[in-house]
Amino acid sequence: STGGEKYRPAFHFSPKAHWMNDPNGMVYYNGVYHLFFQYHPGGTTWGPMHWGHATTRDLVNWEEKPIALYPDSLGTIFSGSIVIDKDNTAGFGKNAMVAIFTHHNQKIEEAKTGLHQYQSIAYSNDEGETWTKYKGNPVLPNPGISDFRDPKVMWYEQGKKWVMTLATKDRITFYSSPDLKAWKRESEFGANLGAHGGVWECPDLFPLKSNGKTVWVLLVSINPGGPNGGSATQYFTGNFDGNKFVPNSTKEKWVDYGTDNYAGVTWSNTGDRKIFLGWMNNWQYANQVPTKAWRGAMTLPRELSLASVDGAYYLRSLPVKEVLPSLKPVYKKGTVTIDKEIDLSAYAKPLDGKFKLDLGLENTNNFNIILSNVNGQKLIIGYDKKNNSYFIDRTLSGETAFEKGFAKKHSAPRLLTGKKINISLILDVASVELFADNGLTVMTDIFFPGSAIETIKIQSKAVSKLSNLSLSKIDQKQLK
Ligand code: FRU
């Protein structure tokens, strides 16, 4: 397709029209995954925030719903979360959906008192179709912190209480509540730890099991100060006892080393399964990216798990298994040798820029995967043996002039040192998601090729042995 829709992804969520940023209120209920999102229905740049709404049953096909939350006299609706109140602790009804979000008040902001952000709640008794704001809002007034936002709430079973993880400028503050209305400050974390190149935003706290042991993960988005510039999401692993988060390492870790995965958090009410999704964009240029009717898309939903590398815990992120049924291999080989180059262009051309490429390398040699179109614009993804790092180079990938820092090469350290490398690439028109070493190193980058990617070449100077190479169509029948 051409014109205004040419960068529209097929199997990543993007709103039909207007501006979108952070995912909000992700909750699973009754077979449906709900996604709410920061939405400006009045334009294609950031503006007065509403909560948009979309749903999916299979994490692949999305349906956009009417706007869920509108600004009111307390302010516009910034980021937040949703819980299912199974025991009716708030008194809004058994199994009510309760949204906990930040009200951002522009008039107060202009008065420069720093008191313009506070937390409020709203509830729905019809699975997110209609919402009622609580009359007692705000439930957590501003204590004098200018950046006081993005509440992520979870039920802490051991203590039989709700726990709110809140971004408070350069640190995280934890609060607890019996009923989602009265909140008590518990502790704070991070003023002297982790990355501090920008303000802390959009946290998430959740437990994951590793060999039967429970490890707590704290995600903290930061803008700017990401490893490749602009906004990105760091994380800490440690222990949480209902009062305090104690990290088990002070080493910096990043959810994603690409430039385009921000403000990501996990779905609530999914049991032990933890599914993450981020905004596939970067504040450095989000308001300038060259799409027309809409701006902003989400990453693929990713399953999070823990891996232990050299005695330290790391997050592993992989595309959710729900994506697999939509894959139809068009090329598949076991052992092959790259002697300078393998050209998969004949298989790639009909895929129209939407595919998954899987590659297993037996010996860690430099390699480049060159994705290009008829205009000669190209995206290069590869491995650099000397630095033991992966990279995505979008310098010559198409439209880049809209922001001076966009045309760059980004790199990510490889955590493993073994000889065998495996990577999966997922391409959806204008985005690439790289999952290396079974999701231990992840990079997400957007790019804007003037026409669809249709050639795939894999190059290696030294002869390299592959243990597998496959290219799959992401089946349109599964998609809208
Ligand atoms: C993160 C963020 C949040 C805030 C929202 C406003 O991208 O800045 O901290 O709630 O966007 O749209």
Side-chain angles (χ1 to χ4, degrees), residues 265-472:
V265 291
T266 60
W267 260 276
S268 73
N269 202 36
T270 52
D272 284 344
R273 201 174 173 204
K274 280 292 151 198
I275 307 170
F276 167 100
L277 171 142
W279 175 43
M280 199 156 59
N281 218 326
N282 189 314
W283 280 118
Q284 191 179 306
Y285 42 71
N287 278 282
Q288 286 117 274
V289 294
T291 55
K292 295 262 157 47
W294 88 100
R295 269 214 182 87
M298 297 302 185
T299 67
L300 273 189
R302 299 167 185 184
E303 184 108 30
L304 299 184
S305 60
L306 277 178
S308 164
V309 180
D310 297 334
Y313 289 116
Y314 287 91
L315 274 182
R316 198 188 275 295
S317 339
L318 287 168
V320 288
K321 62 178 189 303
E322 283 83 348
V323 175
L324 297 177
S326 65
L327 298 179
K328 304 281 175 286
V330 296
Y331 175 96
K332 195 169 171 57
K333 279 245 163 81
T335 318
V336 265
T337 303
I338 318 179
D339 187 1
K340 294 197 182 65
E341 179 174 294
I342 295 180
D343 189 344
L344 296 180
S345 304
Y347 307 95
K349 195 173 156 59
L351 305 185
D352 203 27
K354 289 160 257 177
F355 55 81
K356 181 162 187 277
L357 179 70
D358 291 289
L359 177 158
L361 200 72
E362 287 291 291
N363 44 341
T364 53
N365 279 324
N366 283 354
F367 66 86
N368 284 344
I369 300 169
I370 301 164
L371 308 177
S372 58
N373 61 14
V374 288
N375 304 318
Q377 295 166 334
K378 56 187 174 187
L379 185 74
I380 308 170
I381 298 106
Y383 171 70
D384 174 350
K385 183 175 182 175
K386 191 165 140 260
N387 296 310
N388 196 29
S389 64
Y390 298 99
F391 64 85
I392 298 178
D393 187 346
R394 65 180 178 192
T395 311
L396 302 172
S397 62
E399 286 191 65
T400 57
F402 54 88
E403 194 269 329
K404 66 179 189 330
F406 189 83
K408 279 238 166 79
K409 178 177 176 177
H410 305 136
S411 62
R414 179 172 184 240
L415 297 181
L416 305 180
T417 49
K419 279 187 177 239
K420 290 188 184 191
I421 284 184
N422 67 71
I423 69 167
S424 293
L425 284 185
I426 296 185
L427 223 86
D428 189 3
V429 184
S431 66
V432 61
E433 291 165 284
L434 161 66
F435 302 91
D437 301 313
N438 294 317
L440 275 180
T441 296
V442 179
M443 297 184 84
T444 304
D445 270 22
I446 55 174
F447 67 109
F448 300 95
S451 63
I453 292 297
E454 53 182 63
T455 71
I456 302 180
K457 291 178 179 171
I458 305 167
Q459 299 176 339
S460 174
K461 273 207 193 107
V463 175
S464 291
K465 258 186 74 188
L466 297 180
S467 54
N468 73 286
L469 178 61
S470 67
L471 178 67
S472 301

Side-chain angles (χ1 to χ4, degrees), residues 164-179:
M164 178 197 290
T165 305
L166 194 70
T168 50
K169 198 171 178 160
D170 60 348
R171 63 198 70 180
I172 297 302
T173 307
F174 299 103
Y175 293 83
S176 69
S177 171
D179 60 3

Side-chain angles (χ1 to χ4, degrees), residues 105 107-117 142 144-146:
N105 189 301
K107 281 216 184 83
I108 303 179
E109 186 180 22
E110 282 159 11
K112 295 204 160 64
T113 56
L115 304 175
H116 53 283
Q117 295 179 346
N142 191 304
I145 303 171
S146 58

Side-chain angles (χ1 to χ4, degrees), residues 107-341:
K107 281 216 184 83
I108 303 179
E109 186 180 22
E110 282 159 11
K112 295 204 160 64
T113 56
L115 304 175
H116 53 283
Q117 295 179 346
Y118 31 80
Q119 319 320 318
S120 292
I121 59 179
Y123 60 93
S124 169
N125 299 117
D126 57 6
E127 304 195 13
E129 295 290 316
T130 58
W131 290 86
T132 307
K133 294 200 184 98
Y134 174 53
K135 291 205 173 57
N137 282 340
V139 292
L140 179 55
N142 191 304
I145 303 171
S146 58
D147 294 283
F148 189 69
R149 58 179 180 264
D150 309 339
K152 181 73 159 75
V153 175
M154 51 160 272
W155 177 250
Y156 183 69
E157 180 56 32
Q158 295 89 318
K160 302 263 186 260
K161 62 182 182 181
W162 299 102
V163 168
M164 178 197 290
T165 305
L166 194 70
T168 50
K169 198 171 178 160
D170 60 348
R171 63 198 70 180
I172 297 302
T173 307
F174 299 103
Y175 293 83
S176 69
S177 171
D179 60 3
L180 298 166
K181 292 170 177 166
W183 292 94
K184 170 179 161 244
R185 188 182 177 286
E186 292 283 349
S187 67
E188 61 177 47
F189 166 81
N192 304 306
L193 271 182
H196 281 280
V199 69
W200 283 22
E201 301 183 313
C202 298
D204 193 1
L205 172 73
F206 51 87
L208 281 177
K209 286 244 160 62
S210 173
N211 296 325
K213 214 181 150 236
T214 297
V215 176
W216 288 80
V217 178
L218 177 62
L219 308 182
V220 180
S221 280
I222 172 175
N223 176 48
N228 280 296
S231 34
T233 304
Q234 61 185 317
Y235 70 94
F236 305 88
T237 56
N239 188 42
F240 182 73
D241 65 1
N243 165 245
K244 260 199 190 64
F245 178 81
V246 178
N248 54 22
S249 116
T250 52
K251 201 168 167 251
E252 221 148 272
K253 298 172 190 166
W254 297 94
V255 169
D256 191 314
Y257 276 85
T259 42
D260 300 289
N261 179 356
Y262 193 61
V265 291
T266 60
W267 260 276
S268 73
N269 202 36
T270 52
D272 284 344
R273 201 174 173 204
K274 280 292 151 198
I275 307 170
F276 167 100
L277 171 142
W279 175 43
M280 199 156 59
N281 218 326
N282 189 314
W283 280 118
Q284 191 179 306
Y285 42 71
N287 278 282
Q288 286 117 274
V289 294
T291 55
K292 295 262 157 47
W294 88 100
R295 269 214 182 87
M298 297 302 185
T299 67
L300 273 189
R302 299 167 185 184
E303 184 108 30
L304 299 184
S305 60
L306 277 178
S308 164
V309 180
D310 297 334
Y313 289 116
Y314 287 91
L315 274 182
R316 198 188 275 295
S317 339
L318 287 168
V320 288
K321 62 178 189 303
E322 283 83 348
V323 175
L324 297 177
S326 65
L327 298 179
K328 304 281 175 286
V330 296
Y331 175 96
K332 195 169 171 57
K333 279 245 163 81
T335 318
V336 265
T337 303
I338 318 179
D339 187 1
K340 294 197 182 65
E341 179 174 294

Side-chain angles (χ1 to χ4, degrees), residues 21-22 38 46 49 78-79 149-150 201-202 262-263 283:
N21 56 292
D22 313 356
Q38 288 287 279
W46 190 85
M49 285 289 116
F78 271 23
S79 288
R149 58 179 180 264
D150 309 339
E201 301 183 313
C202 298
Y262 193 61
W283 280 118

